[in-house]
Amino acid sequence: ALKNKQILDSIRYAKLIQTAILPRSDLIARYLQDHLVIWLPRDVVGGDFYFLHPAQDGSCFLGLVDCTGHGIPGAFMTMTAHAVLRQVLSESDGLPLSSILALMDERLRQTLQHTSEGDALDYGMDIAICRLNTGTLEYAGCGIDLCLVKKGASSVIKATHRGLGYRLNPRKVKPIEI
């Protein structure tokens, strides 16, 4: 009973840490006046997160990430992916979104030590990323499509099917080209 309480207390504390990486509502409101965010991990902690990263040119990056795994493994991937994403976005002002995703893929592989088949766990992530700038929206995605709803009509912009960071098996998967 004591051991279970300690484990649950630890997981609840991990949820506080994981929640701390999410953008605050007031930051989102600076770029999106009307917004609603629903973030409900399947377990106490999870492998999905959303982000908003202001760019130096006044635009912002906004997106969604779905990491491999649920629960504690997913939360570890979330923290890893978030750290790599922040680093890449802080270095990427002005780059096309496809270049940002290619760089993210490379850095995530390095972080997860995916250098050859069989040397690391096959973990990674799917991502949808947008750049919002006065009146314009750019989108790129790996594994997550964009559903655009405008004046009651919807359309889907397809993402590339390959996720980021996974080990490459040259016989099965080509390097990312967006």
Side-chain angles (χ1 to χ4, degrees):
L2 176 62
K3 198 53 123 178
N4 284 344
K5 182 186 178 326
Q6 291 172 332
I7 291 169
L8 287 175
D9 287 347
S10 180
I11 292 170
R12 285 187 200 107
Y13 188 61
K15 179 184 176 103
L16 293 174
I17 294 169
Q18 189 177 35
T19 303
I21 69 169
L22 301 174
R24 294 184 332 266
S25 185
D26 62 323
L27 177 62
I28 296 172
R30 234 184 277 162
Y31 295 93
L32 301 170
Q33 292 175 356
D34 297 319
H35 69 277
L36 170 68
V37 176
I38 300 172
W39 182 69
L40 299 170
R42 189 187 83 175
D43 300 311
V44 178
V45 290
D48 305 329
F49 68 95
Y50 57 96
F51 63 91
L52 187 143
H53 183 86
Q56 292 187 4
D57 65 2
S59 67
C60 76
F61 298 102
L62 175 70
L64 176 68
V65 176
D66 179 1
C67 295
T68 306
H70 297 283
I72 294 170
F76 271 88
M77 275 302 301
T78 293
M79 300 307 287
T80 301
H82 185 266
V84 171
L85 178 64
R86 282 182 56 100
Q87 179 187 24
V88 167
L89 290 178
S90 67
E91 300 169 0
S92 300
D93 278 354
L95 285 180
L97 293 180
S98 58
S99 297
I100 291 171
L101 291 180
L103 184 57
M104 181 75 190
D105 184 50
E106 177 186 317
R107 298 270 176 88
L108 202 53
R109 278 171 203 285
Q110 290 169 350
T111 301
L112 298 172
Q113 300 180 28
H114 288 182
T115 54
S116 65
E117 190 174 345
D119 69 344
L121 294 174
D122 198 15
Y123 276 16
M125 62 184 234
D126 293 337
I127 183 171
I129 185 170
C130 297
R131 180 182 286 135
L132 301 174
N133 205 348
T134 313
T136 64
L137 171 75
E138 274 182 87
Y139 160 78
C142 292
I144 300 176
D145 299 336
L146 175 69
C147 180
L148 188 60
V149 179
K150 188 174 183 179
K151 296 182 181 179
S154 65
S155 60
V156 175
I157 301 170
K158 292 288 191 181
T160 185
H161 290 287
R162 186 166 115 28
L164 303 181
Y166 295 97
R167 261 194 328 250
L168 284 181
N169 179 338
R171 295 181 308 274
K172 294 181 183 176
V173 181
K174 295 179 185 176
I176 190 164
E177 292 178 15
I178 301 172

